[in-house]
Amino acid sequence: MDKLRFQSLASGSSGNCYFIGNASYGILIDAGIGVRTIRKCLRNLGIDFENIWGVFVTHDHADHIKSVGVIGEKYNIPIYATRLTHDGIQRSYCVTEKLFGSKKHIAINETIILGDLRITAFPVSHDASDNVGYTVEYKDKRFTFATDLGYVSEEAAEHLKLADYMVFEANYDEYMLDNGTYPIHLKKRIKANTGHLSNDQAGRFLAENYNENLKHVFLCHLSRENNLPEIAFQTIEDHLLAKNVIVGEHLNLVTLSRFTPSELYIFE
Ligand SMILES: [Zn+2]
Ligand SMILES: [Zn+2]
């Protein structure tokens, strides 16, 4: 019952939300989809809102914060974010219910302890008011969430290298983006160091930094227009294979779907 559990509720530019915890309680990383959908998915896991001990926000883009106001104020769930991200949430047009009592500030590298979960924020490079990833430690395991990052900075790399499990961005295929219909300024924004991570960037990082602790990689935030799950999977599998790391044998690789919840992963 107290094994570590993970489920992606949604992943991508239409909304992001991840559950991590055990059979009796847990936290959400981001809440960028509708409250009713979140509640329904959690119920399927046997988790009610009162068993969610916090929402940890990565940054203040709409696809990550849409429901934090309602979850925080209506359901009294603490919403953890850095000061700059909270300021951004208060200003955001897409968060209609503003945060008061449920607002909790976190600082980079500060560890929040909720039951057996220990959650630490680290900085990532992106173009919101402030941008963080999270490492969630549970017993002797580490689960790192790194979404919406233009490149893998030194600080993010330190966290990712130690992870047993990770949610890691593979936003776009470089060829598809270059040859797609997006206007030039948007292509530039996505490719910038404060934009998103490509399949190649993710694959290269994983291949160069693979160690045998790493058991599961969940690829997140795949672009609908500039990526395909098969291409993301194949690109990263190829990078790993070039370093003799075999997907399915050394580690599991999963592409997270934009709208459909992933299966529930229960880790040994
Ligand atoms: Zn996003
Ligand atoms: Zn973003």
Side-chain angles (χ1 to χ4, degrees):
M1 287 298 274
D2 62 350
K3 283 178 184 157
L4 183 63
R5 291 168 171 237
F6 164 76
Q7 186 178 44
S8 166
L9 278 55
S11 178
S13 53
S14 321
N16 297 272
C17 186
Y18 306 106
F19 168 83
I20 179 149
N22 59 26
S24 18
Y25 65 89
I27 59 168
L28 299 178
I29 304 288
D30 289 332
I33 54 173
V35 178
R36 262 176 296 172
T37 309
I38 295 176
R39 211 166 175 197
K40 203 175 112 210
C41 290
L42 292 175
R43 282 221 177 109
N44 289 337
L45 302 181
I47 296 274
D48 221 323
F49 264 150
E50 62 221 44
N51 312 116
I52 294 296
W53 292 1
V55 178
F56 287 75
V57 181
T58 59
H59 62 295
D60 64 354
H61 284 160
D63 55 319
H64 300 260
I65 60 170
K66 190 179 154 197
S67 290
V68 294
V70 177
I71 293 179
E73 295 302 314
K74 190 166 166 213
Y75 296 98
N76 297 313
I77 297 173
I79 307 295
Y80 292 88
T82 65
R83 189 167 293 278
L84 288 172
T85 296
H86 268 308
D87 292 349
I89 291 171
Q90 294 306 85
R91 287 192 305 267
S92 177
Y93 66 92
C94 68
V95 178
T96 42
E97 184 107 31
K98 295 301 172 191
L99 294 172
F100 296 99
S102 62
K103 195 196 264 191
K104 298 270 187 217
H105 288 111
I106 49 155
I108 301 279
N109 293 329
E110 176 196 1
T111 299
I112 306 291
I113 299 173
L114 298 174
D116 286 326
L117 300 167
R118 288 178 300 148
I119 305 108
T120 308
F122 59 89
V124 298
S125 178
H126 190 52
D127 57 2
S129 302
D130 200 9
N131 312 279
V132 301
Y134 289 102
T135 289
V136 180
E137 293 168 85
Y138 184 80
K139 298 180 179 169
D140 60 342
K141 297 296 184 211
R142 294 172 65 95
F143 199 134
T144 295
F145 294 81
T147 182
D148 298 61
L149 63 168
Y151 76 105
V152 183
S153 64
E154 208 51 51
E155 292 105 323
E158 271 173 40
H159 279 260
L160 289 162
K161 283 180 196 173
L162 294 172
D164 300 283
Y165 318 108
M166 66 169 79
V167 163
F168 191 34
E169 182 172 40
N171 181 259
Y172 65 96
D173 173 69
E174 289 171 17
Y175 180 86
M176 285 180 76
L177 179 65
D178 285 341
N179 295 285
T181 55
Y182 274 17
I184 296 281
H185 73 272
L186 201 50
K187 289 183 182 179
K188 276 194 179 151
R189 203 202 121 202
I190 292 168
K191 284 184 173 183
N193 271 351
T194 52
H196 290 279
L197 213 61
S198 72
N199 298 338
D200 258 316
Q201 286 174 297
R204 223 173 298 128
F205 177 84
L206 289 169
E208 280 164 13
N209 296 287
Y210 170 78
N211 72 70
E212 57 194 26
N213 285 342
L214 183 61
K215 293 291 176 240
H216 284 265
V217 176
F218 300 95
L219 301 174
C220 74
H221 218 288
L222 271 67
S223 165
R224 182 176 52 184
E225 291 80 9
N226 306 307
N227 210 352
L228 286 169
E230 307 77 53
I231 290 180
F233 189 98
Q234 189 68 57
T235 305
I236 285 152
E237 185 178 37
D238 288 348
H239 276 286
L240 287 165
L241 194 58
K243 298 272 178 174
N244 298 316
V245 182
I246 300 166
V247 167
E249 190 178 319
H250 297 107
L251 58 80
N252 278 311
L253 184 64
V254 175
T255 53
L256 297 176
S257 140
R258 297 165 58 79
F259 298 111
T260 324
S262 71
E263 62 177 277
L264 171 67
Y265 291 86
I266 304 175
F267 301 112
E268 289 307 313

